[in-house]
């Protein structure tokens, strides 16, 4: 099973140690982090996230991909299929999907391109019949992307004391077979 995905404009590769500097810069950007973390992350916290993502691929056989432009290899952000064992009520009943792009690359359709490819990969390789995601109610762009990807809100709850919206996509091409 190939873990590398290519689209018209992007290359998605499983997160690797070589992504650390780019990940550090992204996670230190308050504009990127404002809907995800209470504050930007430092280099140590970025390292732990990198190790988590590498380990996720090793244990689960899927995880976060680093997104880079095909044209020049610039780091765009990440998209992933996840099982983080979140302590959440209601608990997730499917693979979680997540994404995050550097503010410099937002508004260009790259998140939709990467996420669409990840959904197709989930259907083909994981036979996922549906996916879930969790988004801050203040993150309008991510909510719009989720809707464009076919996710629908199914409940509101809290995660680590913060309000979140849980969404699901009921159909995954090639999934559930």
């Amino acid at each position: 099973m190939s873990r590398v995905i290519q689209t018209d404009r992007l290359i998605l590769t499983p997160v690797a140690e070589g992504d650390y500097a780019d990940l550090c810069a992204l996670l230190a950007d308050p504009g990127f982090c404002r809907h995800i973390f209470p504050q930007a992350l430092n280099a140590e916290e970025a390292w732990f996230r990198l190790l988590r993502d590498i380990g996720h691929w090793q244990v689960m056989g899927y995880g976060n991909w680093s997104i880079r432009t095909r044209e020049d290899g610039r780091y765009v952000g990440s998209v992933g299929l996840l099982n983080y064992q979140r302590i959440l009520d209601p608990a997730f009943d499917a693979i979680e999907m997540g994404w995050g792009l550097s503010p410099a690359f937002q508004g260009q359709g790259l998140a939709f391109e990467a996420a669409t490819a990840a959904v197709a990969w989930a259907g083909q390789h994981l036979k996922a019949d549906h996916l879930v995601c969790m988004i801050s109610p203040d993150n309008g762009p991510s909510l719009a992307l989720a809707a464009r990807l076919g996710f629908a809100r199914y409940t509101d709850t809290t995660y680590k004391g913060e309000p979140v919206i849980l969404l699901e996509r009921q159909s995954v091409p090639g999934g559930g077979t």
Side-chain angles (χ1 to χ4, degrees), residues 37-162:
F37 311 113
Q39 62 190 26
L41 302 186
N42 64 36
E44 178 182 350
E45 293 163 325
W47 179 251
F48 288 144
R49 288 186 66 84
L50 177 85
L51 294 177
R52 175 201 67 186
D53 289 346
I54 292 169
H56 197 286
W57 277 100
Q58 294 299 312
V59 172
M60 303 303 300
Y62 59 90
N64 268 317
W65 285 273
S66 290
I67 306 168
R68 295 189 180 275
T69 59
R70 283 183 72 164
E71 181 180 11
D72 56 14
R74 288 181 298 154
Y75 183 78
V76 174
S78 68
V79 64
L81 302 166
L82 315 164
N83 181 348
Y84 287 160
Q85 297 292 314
R86 294 189 191 275
I87 300 171
L88 189 62
D89 185 25
F92 281 147
D93 66 349
I95 294 171
E96 178 182 358
M97 185 166 193
W99 53 81
L101 270 63
S102 166
F105 291 97
Q106 293 175 8
Q108 302 172 38
L110 297 175
F112 181 74
E113 187 172 326
T116 299
V119 167
W121 193 93
Q124 179 182 9
H125 297 289
L126 304 179
K127 304 301 182 205
D129 60 354
H130 74 286
L131 301 169
V132 293
C133 67
M134 176 174 66
I135 302 174
S136 164
D138 298 330
N139 192 343
S142 240
L143 289 168
L145 175 59
R148 190 171 173 209
L149 290 166
F151 284 87
R153 179 186 217 143
Y154 68 92
T155 196
D156 296 8
T157 190
T158 58
Y159 179 67
K160 295 186 176 181
E162 295 295 323

